[in-house]
Amino acid sequence: MTSECLFCSIIKKKTQTKIVYEDKDIMVFSDINPKNRVHLLIAPREHIKSFLDLSSKNILILTKMTKVIQSIIRGKKLEGGYQVIFNGGKYQHIPHLHWHLLGD
Ligand SMILES: [Zn+2]
């Protein structure tokens, strides 16, 4: 048994962080090292390792994640400047799929 991934621990509320949004499939929380005024992480509750592990069975989750991100962009009035980023390989520090949403 390997040690649990950080995001699974956050999702199970074993690790404290600032949760911005959650539902039965998705969680949104603040990046502990923000690179902009708004820097949120959007992750599925399911442990999917990376962008390359997504398949057609994850389409519903992806659609939901997209809608959640759109509503946060609108809610935080970031329409004038935002980035939605998937990191992979050496750029992905936590092996649990997540999108970064950055905006100012
Ligand atoms: Zn995980």
Side-chain angles (χ1 to χ4, degrees), residues 6-50:
L6 176 63
F7 286 1
C8 283
S9 173
I10 287 172
I11 285 160
K12 289 171 187 159
K13 310 265 171 83
K14 290 180 192 166
T15 299
Q16 287 264 308
T17 193
K18 189 173 177 246
I19 295 165
V20 174
Y21 172 86
E22 64 180 311
D23 63 30
K24 68 177 177 53
D25 300 312
I26 293 161
M27 281 191 71
V28 181
F29 42 90
S30 300
D31 194 295
I32 52 162
N33 242 325
K35 304 279 190 282
N36 209 331
R37 185 175 66 82
V38 174
H39 188 170
L40 301 174
L41 305 177
I42 298 91
R45 284 187 190 272
E46 182 186 346
H47 184 87
I48 299 165
K49 274 189 286 184
S50 76

Side-chain angles (χ1 to χ4, degrees), residues 65-83:
M65 287 173 81
T66 301
K67 287 181 174 173
V68 167
I69 292 169
Q70 287 170 338
S71 81
I72 293 170
I73 289 168
R74 294 191 179 105
K76 293 193 176 291
K77 309 233 181 294
L78 302 175
E79 295 96 327
Y82 60 87
Q83 293 173 287

